[in-house]
Amino acid sequence: MNSKRSAEILVGLFVAAGIAALFVLAMKVSNLGDFTDDKGYEVVANFQNIGGLKPRSPVTMAGVRVGRVSSISLDPDTYDAKVTINIYPQYDNIPMDTSASIFTAGLLGEQYISLSPGADDFFLQDGDIIDLTQPAVVLEQVIGQFLYSTAEGE
Amino acid sequence: MIEVLRSLGRWGLDTFQRLGRGHIFLMQMLAGMPSLAFRFSLVVQQLFYVGVLSVLIILISGLFVGMVLGLQGYNTLVDFGAEESLGVLVSLSLVRELGPVVSALLFAGRAGSALTAEIGLMKSTEQLSGMEMMAVDPMRRIIAPRFLAGLISMPLLAAIFSAVGIFGAFLVGHGLLGVDDGAFWSQMQAKTDWYEDILNGVIKSIVFGFVVTWIALFEGYDATPTSEGVGRATTRTVVHSAFAILGLDFVLTALMFGDI
Amino acid sequence: MAPLIKIRDLHFNRGDKVIFNGVDIDIYRGKVTAIMGPSGTGKTTLLKLIGGQLKPDRGSVEIDGQNVHKLSHSKLYELRKRMGMLFQSGALLTDINVFENVAFPLREHTKLPESMIHDLVLMKLQAVGLRNARNMMPAELSGGMARRVALARAVTLDPMMIMYDEPFTGQDPISMGTLVNLIRRLNDAMGLTSIIVSHDVAETTQIADEIYLLSGGKVVEKGTPETLKTSGSDWVKQFLQGLPDGPVPFHYPGNDFGKDLLNSEEKR
C-alpha cells in the first residue's frame, strides 16, 4: 500500500510538471501573455499596401510597443487594406492626427506599424480612423525604381 | 516467376490482415475506454509506468537538445548579426517539431517497447488467457488503461521536453555565448504564437501518443507467444513507431503550417 | 440426469490441420471426467473451445443448457464467472503477490469489504495448503506451488465446474501426489464438476470417474478406468501401458529405412 501511495504521488507530480511546462510555454514562450491585457481600444488604419504585415504584428511609437495588429481585411470599396489596431489602454493620449507607417525591422526582419504623433488636442478613441498612412515599402519596387532611374540616366 | 508472384500476394494478404486486426484491436480498445471512468486508479497506476518512468530520459534529452540548438543556432545566426533571434529559432523548432517528434521517439523506445514486452509476456505466460477465463476482459482490464495513460502522458512529456529544451538553449545562449536575455525572451514571445505554434505542437504530440501506444499494445497483444516472438514484437514496436511518427509528422506539418 | 456439458459433432481445424473431426462428449455433474490422448491431439484446444476462447468450425458446446458459442460477449463473461480453469503454467499474474492473485477475481467481480476478501482468500489458500505463502511473489514459487495457488484462485468464486489443463506435467512425485489428492478432494467437498486434460495415465486413472480417449480428432474410447483397462483395442492398450511400439508406430511414417540407406540421391 505504501509503494502504491508513493507511485500515486509521483504520478501527481508528473501531471503537475507537465501542466506547469505547458503553462510556461504559454506565458513565457508564446505571446499568450499579451492577451491578458487585451482591454485596450481599437482604431482603424487604411493602407495602400501592407507588405508582409500580419495579425499580431507589433505597433510601436518612438520604438516603444503600444499595441498590436488585431485583424487585417480588404476594404471592398477602395481596395485598400483595412488594418485594425489594438492599442494598450495606458496609451490613451495619442493625438488625432497621428500618422501610421509600415516599416521593416532590419533589412529582412518582420514588418510592424510605427505611429508618429501629431499635434492635435483631441486624442484617438475606440473606433477612430487614422487618416495619414504610408504604405509598406516593397523592396522589389524600390530596386526596380532604382534600376529604372539609373538606366534612364545613362 | 509464379512463385515470386504468389509469395508477393501472400505477403500482401498478410499485411492487410494485420492491418485489419490492428484496427479491430483499436475498436475493442476504444470500446473498453468508458469502463475506465469507474476504475481510474488503474489508469493512475499505468501513468506511473508509462509517464513517470519516462520523465528522466525526457528531461535529460530535452536539456541537451536545447543546448545543442542554442549552440548551433547561435553559430548560424551570428553571421547575419541576428543572434538575438536565437530565442525564436529555438522555441519554434522545439515547440513545433523537436518537442513532439523527439519526445515521441524517446517515448516509443522507453515506454512503447516496455508495453509491448509486458503485454507479450502476459500473453506468452497465458495471463491474458487466464484473465479471460476468470471472466475479466483483458481489453478493459489491461489494454484500455495503458492506452489512456499513453494518451495522457505523451503531450505532458512533450511539453516538459520543450520547456526544458528552451531552458537549455537559454543557458547556453545567455550564459555561455552572451546573448542578451531580454532580447532572447522578448523576440521569442513576439514570434511564438499560442494557437499557431504551441497548440499545434500539443495536437501533434497527442496524435503521436495515440499512434505509439496503439502500435505498442497491438504488437504485444498480437505477438507470437514465445520469447523470440515477444523480442521481435518489441523491435517492431520501435521501428513501426518511428516510421509512423516521422510520416505523420510530415502530414500534420503540411496540414498545420504549410498552406497546402 | 442431463450432462452439465454436452459436446456434439465438434469440428475444428487449425490451418490445414484437422484437430477435431466430429467429437461427442458428455460431462456429468459432480464427476471427475478425464480427457486423455497423446500430445498434439488438441486437448488444450478442447478446453479453450469449452471456455469459449475459440470458435468451432462446426458442432456445438452446451454448458448448463447454453450454447457457449452463441452467447453474447457479456453473457459469455457471466458464464465464465461460474467456470474455473487451471492453466498448465498456472497463469498467475506476475506483478502481484499470491494473496492478491487469489483475491483478484473477488476484487474484479464483487464489491465485498476488504475484511471479507481477506478471510475468503485465506480460506482458499488454506485449502491448498499455502496460507503461509501469501506474501510471496509468483516468481518465488515452485511449479507445483504456482499450480496450487492457481487452483485456489480458480475456486475463489465457487464455480460450478473447473477445467485442469495438464495438471500433472512436470511435477515431482510429492507435489504430484498433493495435486492428485487436492483435485479429488476439492471436487467432492465443493460439489464441483471437474474436467482433467492429461496424458499422465497413472495419476489420471487414480482419480477420474470417466475417461475419454482422443486420437486423430475422434473419441477412440470412453468409460471408467476399469473398463478401459480391459479394453480389447490395441491402441488403448498401447496408450495406457505406454508401449513404445504398436498401432502408433515408433517411427514417423515415411520411407522404408533400407530404401533410405540405398537411396543415393540425398548423399550427393
Side-chain angles (χ1 to χ4, degrees), chain C residues 31-260:
Chain C
K31 295 268 165 65
V32 177
T33 307
I35 295 168
M36 306 190 70
S39 314
T41 39
K43 301 186 296 290
T44 304
T45 311
L46 183 68
L47 293 188
K48 291 199 163 173
L49 282 164
I50 295 175
Q53 290 186 305
L54 293 174
K55 273 202 186 329
D57 296 328
R58 192 140 64 85
S60 65
V61 177
E62 261 181 36
I63 301 179
D64 210 11
Q66 304 179 78
N67 186 333
V68 176
H69 302 101
K70 295 241 162 69
L71 292 175
S72 67
H73 186 264
S74 55
K75 282 268 171 55
L76 178 62
Y77 272 76
E78 275 310 308
L79 180 64
R80 280 185 188 158
K81 284 184 198 170
R82 301 196 286 147
M83 298 159 95
M85 176 142 173
L86 187 73
F87 285 83
Q88 200 169 345
S89 60
L92 295 177
L93 303 175
T94 44
D95 56 340
I96 49 180
N97 66 17
V98 166
F99 181 91
E100 288 299 320
N101 257 293
V102 179
F104 183 79
L106 292 171
R107 292 199 200 284
E108 289 293 321
H109 294 307
T110 68
K111 290 203 161 55
L112 294 176
E114 192 57 33
S115 62
M116 206 171 211
I117 290 181
H118 180 262
D119 293 352
L120 277 171
V121 170
L122 288 196
M123 269 164 61
K124 304 294 175 189
L125 281 173
Q126 172 73 11
V128 297
L130 289 175
R131 187 170 40 81
N132 289 321
R134 61 179 178 273
N135 290 325
M136 288 165 88
M137 293 304 281
E140 301 171 83
L141 302 173
S142 71
M145 283 162 86
R147 231 167 265 187
R148 276 149 69 190
V149 173
L151 184 53
R153 187 180 65 175
V155 296
T156 31
L157 289 178
D158 292 323
M160 60 179 177
M161 56 176 278
I162 182 162
M163 298 187 275
Y164 298 92
D165 187 4
E166 304 280 7
F168 309 121
T169 321
Q171 299 293 307
D172 63 70
I174 299 175
S175 60
M176 184 110 86
T178 320
L179 268 170
V180 171
N181 272 320
L182 209 50
I183 291 173
R184 185 75 238 186
R185 258 199 3 241
L186 275 178
N187 189 73
D188 298 346
M190 297 180 64
L192 291 167
T193 303
S194 306
I195 306 166
I196 301 176
V197 145
S198 176
H199 52 230
D200 293 285
V201 175
E203 290 72 26
T204 311
T205 48
Q206 259 181 52
I207 54 169
D209 296 313
E210 190 160 37
I211 296 180
Y212 280 81
L213 284 181
L214 287 183
S215 178
K218 286 192 182 299
V219 175
V220 179
E221 192 77 76
K222 65 170 182 175
T224 61
E226 286 70 35
T227 52
L228 284 187
K229 271 173 194 159
T230 55
S231 162
S233 155
D234 282 345
W235 190 91
V236 174
K237 223 179 267 172
Q238 189 194 355
F239 183 78
L240 290 182
Q241 296 173 12
L243 301 176
D245 216 346
V248 183
F250 171 69
H251 292 289
Y252 192 78
N255 284 344
D256 188 63
F257 188 38
K259 243 186 217 162
D260 260 4

Side-chain angles (χ1 to χ4, degrees), chain A residues 4 8 23-24 27 31-32 37 45 47 55-57 65-68 79 89 106 118 126 141 148:
Chain A
K4 190 182 169 192
E8 281 171 357
F23 188 76
V24 166
M27 292 306 166
N31 48 9
L32 189 67
D37 47 22
F47 292 91
R56 275 193 276 280
S57 290
R65 187 163 176 162
V66 296
R68 61 179 180 81
Y79 303 109
D126 194 47
Q141 280 179 2
Y148 184 67

Side-chain angles (χ1 to χ4, degrees), chain B residues 147-245:
Chain B
F147 182 65
L148 189 58
L151 214 55
I152 296 174
S153 299
M154 193 63 251
L156 296 177
L157 290 171
I160 293 175
F161 186 95
S162 298
V164 170
I166 289 169
F167 178 67
F170 176 72
L171 279 187
V172 170
H174 176 64
L176 221 59
L177 303 168
V179 175
D180 180 55
D181 55 344
F184 184 91
W185 293 115
S186 67
Q187 289 238 11
M188 185 190 293
Q189 284 178 15
K191 286 283 187 63
T192 313
D193 186 59
W194 167 252
Y195 296 99
E196 186 85 351
D197 301 314
I198 294 182
L199 275 192
N200 275 342
V202 171
I203 291 171
K204 269 188 184 180
S205 60
I206 293 175
V207 172
F208 294 158
F210 183 96
V211 171
V212 171
T213 321
W214 174 24
I215 290 177
L217 292 171
F218 175 65
E219 287 293 354
Y221 196 76
D222 200 51
T224 319
T226 58
S227 26
E228 194 206 359
V230 175
R232 276 198 205 170
T234 311
T235 314
R236 268 207 305 272
T237 293
V238 178
V239 174
H240 288 186
S241 297
F243 283 153
I245 291 165

Side-chain angles (χ1 to χ4, degrees), chain B residues 22-191:
Chain B
H23 281 83
I24 292 169
F25 178 81
L26 178 65
M27 291 302 140
Q28 291 173 331
M29 195 155 66
L30 293 179
M33 300 291 266
S35 66
L36 289 178
F38 308 103
R39 308 207 47 187
F40 202 73
S41 63
L42 288 177
V43 182
V44 172
Q45 204 184 339
Q46 288 311 315
L47 272 172
F48 177 75
Y49 291 108
V50 173
V52 174
L53 294 183
S54 307
V55 167
L56 191 65
I57 187 174
I58 289 287
L59 280 177
I60 293 172
S61 315
L63 191 67
F64 279 105
V65 166
M67 284 162 71
V68 168
L69 265 182
L71 220 54
Q72 293 280 22
Y74 180 84
N75 285 340
T76 312
L77 290 173
V78 80
D79 289 346
F80 302 101
E83 65 268 25
E84 253 93 64
S85 302
L86 185 63
V88 188
L89 178 102
V90 167
S91 77
L92 288 188
S93 0
L94 276 171
V95 168
R96 284 181 170 188
E97 283 300 323
L98 293 174
V101 171
V102 177
S103 55
L105 290 172
L106 293 169
F107 181 76
R110 173 66 185 78
S113 59
L115 282 176
T116 306
E118 189 193 9
I119 304 288
L121 205 70
M122 290 184 91
K123 187 184 183 189
S124 68
T125 53
E126 293 179 311
Q127 289 183 52
L128 294 182
S129 222
M131 249 181 222
E132 270 181 33
M133 288 309 298
M134 282 188 278
V136 176
D137 189 346
M139 273 297 172
R140 287 186 193 165
R141 182 64 174 68
I142 301 293
I143 306 287
R146 283 165 174 73
F147 182 65
L148 189 58
L151 214 55
I152 296 174
S153 299
M154 193 63 251
L156 296 177
L157 290 171
I160 293 175
F161 186 95
S162 298
V164 170
I166 289 169
F167 178 67
F170 176 72
L171 279 187
V172 170
H174 176 64
L176 221 59
L177 303 168
V179 175
D180 180 55
D181 55 344
F184 184 91
W185 293 115
S186 67
Q187 289 238 11
M188 185 190 293
Q189 284 178 15
K191 286 283 187 63

